[in-house]
Amino acid sequence: MSDEVPQSEAAENPSHLEAARREKLRRVQELGHDPWGQRFDDQLPIGSVLKLQEQVYYENEAGEKTPLPEDREAYIAWRNENRRVELHGPKVRAAGRIVLERTKGKLIFLDIMDWTGKVQIFVGRKQVGEENWALAECMQLGDIVGVDGEFKLTNTGEPTIFAEKLHFLSKSLETPPDKYHGIHDPEIRQRRRYLDLIHTDGVMERFLRRSKIVQSIRQTLASESFVEVEGPTLHSIAGGAAARPFTTHHNALDMDLFLRIALELHLKRLLVGGIERVYELGRVYRNEGISPKHNPEFTMLEAYQAYGDYRSMMDLTEKIIVNALEATGQPLKVQYGEHEIDFTPPFERKTYDELFLEHTGVDPKDEAAVAKLAAEIGFDIKGRHPDVIKSDVFEEKVEDALEGPIFVMDYPASICPLTKRSQTEPEIAERFELFVKGMELANAYTELNDPDLQEQLFKTQLEGMSAEDSMAKMDNDFVTALRNAMPPAGGLGIGIDRLVMLLTNATSIREVILFPLLRHEA
RNA sequence: GAGGAUGUAGCUCAGUCGGUAGAGCAACGGACUUUUAAUCCGUAGGUCCAGGGUUCGAGUCCCUGCAUCCUCACCA
């Protein structure tokens, strides 16, 4: 490196904390080591290292290999009586980030952490020699280092790798957060998720668990012969749900486009095309408010099964959730905040009307009574469709009260423009929503496959409902697809982030999304 | 979009009635060969979120803006 190499602004004008770190970096280079490290083979995950503890032994007076007292107290007592006895343990190589450092004279204790665990490293000046000692003196909190050594116990019974050779793997130029308190500022936790993953207990576990849940869902669907596909995220008509879309533009085609708000309409086209069990697990985008339960981009599962109906989707929903619990090593009754959620199947199943009556005391079929109740709550009822009014009351009085898990079945048909009507009661749509802790977790229909009715419903804008609030957006291309015969089918949507919230005991959706949307930094 | 809370050293936080900016951790120098949030001695580190106002004097009081969190609204 010559002096003419341009340096970053930070390098030219470092804080005293950074200057100290750059000085250590320089000394690592002086010692002939690469501060940014090299490929490091054959290292054992720290979690696996810790499992080797039972292999630690000593030789008794007869020269026989003897295991150590298992109990830590007993070991310490034994050790105090037998300080001179040499311990033997397996040779290991490990790598990780330094999260704690204690120096004691010519000793350095480092705690290094990888994504499987944390282990202590003992560096004794006499034991490792001057070269390694000099390198160890350059190691700071936040640096990533490797070690070769013998895995055994200290006098206090701490499982420890006794360093024989040290490796510098990557230098941190930034000072890590408080080693005891970590990061409390939720803004830093979200903007700099890497620090959160390192320093906040449970964060790594939660995101690894999210991955396991998603993996399990794919397995469950595969075992039911569903095929995963990828539909377009750029739509010319943002249909399939009631939400405001994000808008964007394609320059070469000079074409306004929307980011998808649902997966539905393209998956149903594939049902027409003969992919009889099809699903997509992907991101959708809704230009709506942000809350502990809402992020502008979130992950959705939608699955469609030819020749099924909404009842088939209830069974599938239960399977997906129960398997996800099993895959993450959880019981069917999970703790969520102060409460317990019992996911033991079958989940409770009740109709919309039953629940309406139960929670309001008003007969849902009595339009006048429902309207009166809505007016009492404070809803504007003028010029609005009776079912829209009923739906408002339902959301206000019933949904939040549903502890669940409960399948709410049979919605008013007029608010479900993509759903097949009940054969016996045409004013009822074969639709369910799964509620848990007042949160809508899943939504499913017997899919409407009558192209004429679909076209008619797309045209019908319910009174008092804005275009954005309506799921009914004319999509001629989709209607044309239906004209080619879509098999009768069940369809299911599950909000993956919310499922992960429930299965990882998170109260905010931002705790289960790695990089939630934030405004520009102040 | 509305209301409330918060914003001080790299991190976690104090800061009284408006009167020269504080601690712990981290950093730097030193002591210590089985420590573990190690300990002890010493040193350094600040655009008090930003801008304006009141005042002899503002981290503190007032106004505006920005960001985060919470509640509500919209939504899944």
Side-chain angles (χ1 to χ4, degrees), chain A residues 94-386:
Chain A
R97 186 184 299 274
I98 300 172
V99 290
L100 223 50
E101 182 190 27
R102 299 172 289 281
T103 62
K104 174 156 178 155
K106 294 181 177 60
L107 296 182
I108 299 173
F109 294 91
L110 300 172
D111 284 7
I112 64 165
M113 186 178 83
D114 71 7
W115 65 346
T116 66
K118 201 192 300 187
V119 70
Q120 175 170 270
I121 296 175
F122 174 102
V123 185
R125 184 167 187 170
K126 206 165 73 187
Q127 289 86 339
V128 295
E130 287 307 311
E131 209 174 303
N132 280 302
W133 180 256
L135 193 60
E137 283 189 304
C138 297
M139 292 177 174
Q140 296 179 290
L141 289 176
D143 294 346
I144 295 172
V145 301
V147 61
D148 290 299
E150 196 176 359
F151 178 65
K152 43 195 186 182
L153 299 184
T154 61
N155 291 341
T156 52
E158 182 71 21
T160 301
I161 299 171
F162 285 78
E164 286 157 20
K165 185 165 175 50
L166 291 165
H167 307 265
F168 210 99
L169 297 178
S170 195
K171 182 73 204 166
S172 171
L173 293 174
E174 304 233 341
T175 312
D178 188 293
K179 68 185 179 188
Y180 184 64
H181 297 97
I183 309 170
H184 283 188
D185 184 343
E187 187 173 352
I188 300 178
R189 289 188 52 215
Q190 291 171 51
R191 282 192 201 280
R192 311 183 66 189
R193 187 66 89 185
Y194 48 93
L195 292 179
D196 194 34
L197 284 162
I198 297 164
H199 297 286
T200 309
D201 283 347
V203 171
M204 176 71 82
E205 289 86 341
R206 174 171 286 141
F207 284 107
L208 293 181
R209 182 174 281 187
R210 177 178 176 134
S211 169
K212 280 215 173 90
I213 290 167
V214 170
Q215 202 180 351
S216 157
I217 291 171
R218 288 200 162 96
Q219 270 166 14
T220 302
L221 288 163
S223 73
E224 300 285 325
S225 304
F226 282 84
V227 170
E228 181 171 13
V229 298
E230 288 158 285
T233 54
L234 297 175
H235 288 189
S236 33
I237 297 167
R244 298 166 64 187
F246 285 91
T247 57
T248 186
H249 185 81
H250 188 279
N251 289 337
L253 298 180
D254 187 23
M255 185 180 175
D256 287 330
L257 290 163
F258 303 102
L259 299 189
R260 65 181 177 187
I261 59 171
L263 314 174
E264 176 144 358
L265 299 184
H266 288 86
L267 291 176
K268 276 150 95 168
R269 285 169 168 89
L270 296 177
L271 224 42
V272 173
I275 308 182
E276 295 187 358
R277 295 190 177 204
V278 65
Y279 76 95
E280 178 163 7
L281 208 169
R283 206 70 65 84
V284 298
Y285 307 85
R286 298 190 182 176
N287 206 339
E288 308 274 359
I290 294 174
S291 86
K293 293 180 174 63
H294 303 263
N295 193 58
E297 51 178 320
F298 63 102
T299 303
M300 211 64 154
L301 165 72
E302 287 194 29
Y304 293 84
Q305 178 179 336
Y307 312 118
D309 69 359
Y310 73 143
R311 290 176 187 277
S312 339
M313 293 298 108
M314 286 187 214
D315 301 338
L316 182 61
T317 304
E318 285 172 352
K319 267 183 205 154
I320 284 172
I321 293 175
V322 167
N323 288 350
L325 282 165
E326 197 190 338
T328 53
Q330 298 193 84
L332 291 172
K333 295 180 183 178
V334 299
Q335 202 63 33
Y336 187 68
E338 305 286 295
H339 309 275
E340 189 183 69
I341 307 172
D342 186 355
F343 283 111
T344 308
F347 304 163
E348 198 180 353
R349 301 177 182 199
K350 282 194 173 173
T351 68
Y352 187 92
D353 281 359
E354 273 175 341
L355 287 163
F356 193 98
L357 181 62
E358 210 173 281
H359 285 83
T360 66
V362 171
D363 178 2
K365 297 210 189 322
D366 184 344
E367 284 179 13
V370 172
K372 184 165 166 264
L373 175 60
E376 278 165 18
I377 296 170
F379 287 120
D380 183 16
I381 57 170
K382 230 182 264 172
R384 310 194 75 200
H385 189 286

